[in-house]
Amino acid sequence: MDTFCEISCYSKDKDRSIAAIDAAFKEMKRIEDIFSKFDEHSEVSRINRLAGIEKVRLTKEVFSLTQDAVYYSQISEGAFDITVAPLMELWKGARKGNSMPDRAELETTLKSVGYKNIELDPDELYITFLNKGTKVDFGGIAKGYAVDRAKDILISKGINKGLINLGGNIFALGSAPGNKNWGIGVYDPREKDKLLYTFRLTNKAISTSGNYERFFEIGGKRYSHIINPVTGEPCMGIVSVTVVSGSAEKADALSTAISVMGEEKGLNLAKAIKDIEVLILKEDGRVISYPLERAGNEL
Ligand code: AMP
Ligand code: MG
């Protein structure tokens, strides 16, 4: 998934921990093999080759994550959208050529972008793209999904204290040894030794989307790897968005979505969803958090 992964487990039985970690890594690798857009044999590559031409039958697992992705598109007014794939390719080309994409090319690409181009048949598990150029990219949700599955594996192997971190998508299982919870610090990426906030979590997921670890440069200027699916432009104004939720998949999708939506719309979404916490670091240095009681607490 083009990032790092760390798993820690605590148990009186060391062998049990090692077996659990091995099984969790295997599960993540299995998920990577399915959702990778770089591996031409992956199920997602098959969808991207065929679904614009004919209906493609999916495994239950891929169908289900696609349904979830569409749900996150709906609640975020299209800010989260796995059909950004053609835009990702366009900006990748721009980065390689070190020049901004051509306006006309951007407009053409935008025509194939939009979750409404995805048609799902839940009875037969078929997917069809209503536009030939549509392609999907699970990069904004698959890491969170993989963390949830890895966490389930740890639990099934008898582990109740542990930490999984897949590229900033974290699940805090139980509590740290000798503690009531896990302390997860969010750094100010511009001053790495400065902690913005410490979340105290138990059995919760936390995900940070930011333009500081994953970004690209054109003409010496930095651009976010998160693209606004409506304008086709990389999102701007926000340094990072952190979301806490019971599910790592949800935290992953919503941290990406809120990065696109920005402060006002993003906070409105958080308020509507209720069971999430959000911390936004803006480019002008402001830190915004929800629920508001959080502000001033450990900031
Ligand atoms: P994350 O690191 O979780 O914020 O996800 C960023 C990744 O998700 C990118 O590298 C793309 O693969 C994909 N992506 C970019 N923009 C969007 C978007 N607006 N909605 C959904 N996925 C996106
Ligand atoms: Mg994400």
Side-chain angles (χ1 to χ4, degrees), residues 57-213:
R57 194 190 290 274
L58 304 183
T59 56
K60 239 184 169 165
E61 184 174 29
V62 174
F63 193 88
S64 172
L65 195 62
T66 310
Q67 271 182 321
D68 290 1
V70 169
Y71 165 75
Y72 290 116
S73 296
Q74 286 162 344
I75 64 166
S76 68
E77 295 169 14
F80 182 85
D81 195 325
I82 53 172
T83 68
V84 290
L87 287 168
M88 297 303 293
E89 283 170 23
L90 181 74
W91 283 96
K92 194 174 166 185
R95 186 198 64 199
K96 279 189 184 150
N98 199 29
S99 70
M100 295 295 278
D102 180 66
R103 193 74 233 167
E105 216 182 333
L106 190 85
E107 296 296 337
T108 311
T109 308
L110 274 173
K111 292 199 173 96
S112 53
V113 175
Y115 69 97
K116 289 183 180 157
N117 289 316
I118 301 176
E119 196 170 73
L120 294 171
D121 172 353
D123 298 322
E124 303 290 335
L125 306 183
Y126 282 130
I127 186 169
T128 319
F129 294 150
L130 302 179
N131 183 302
K132 272 200 173 71
T134 300
K135 285 182 184 174
V136 285
D137 175 336
F138 284 85
I141 191 170
K143 290 191 283 293
Y145 172 70
V147 167
D148 282 334
R149 294 289 74 79
K151 175 261 297 177
D152 290 343
I153 296 273
L154 295 188
I155 292 172
S156 74
K157 300 282 176 193
I159 300 294
N160 55 25
K161 280 187 187 1
L163 202 66
I164 303 168
N165 183 1
L166 175 56
N169 296 271
I170 296 172
F171 197 94
L173 179 63
S175 57
N179 277 292
K180 283 207 282 292
N181 47 39
W182 286 96
I184 310 286
V186 178
Y187 285 94
D188 183 337
R190 298 161 305 181
E191 286 175 78
K192 281 262 177 185
D193 51 354
K194 187 175 145 201
L195 265 183
L196 273 183
Y197 193 81
T198 303
F199 286 91
R200 303 276 162 203
L201 304 177
T202 165
N203 295 324
K204 288 263 182 192
I206 178 165
S207 164
T208 300
S209 281
N211 69 0
Y212 50 95
E213 267 169 3

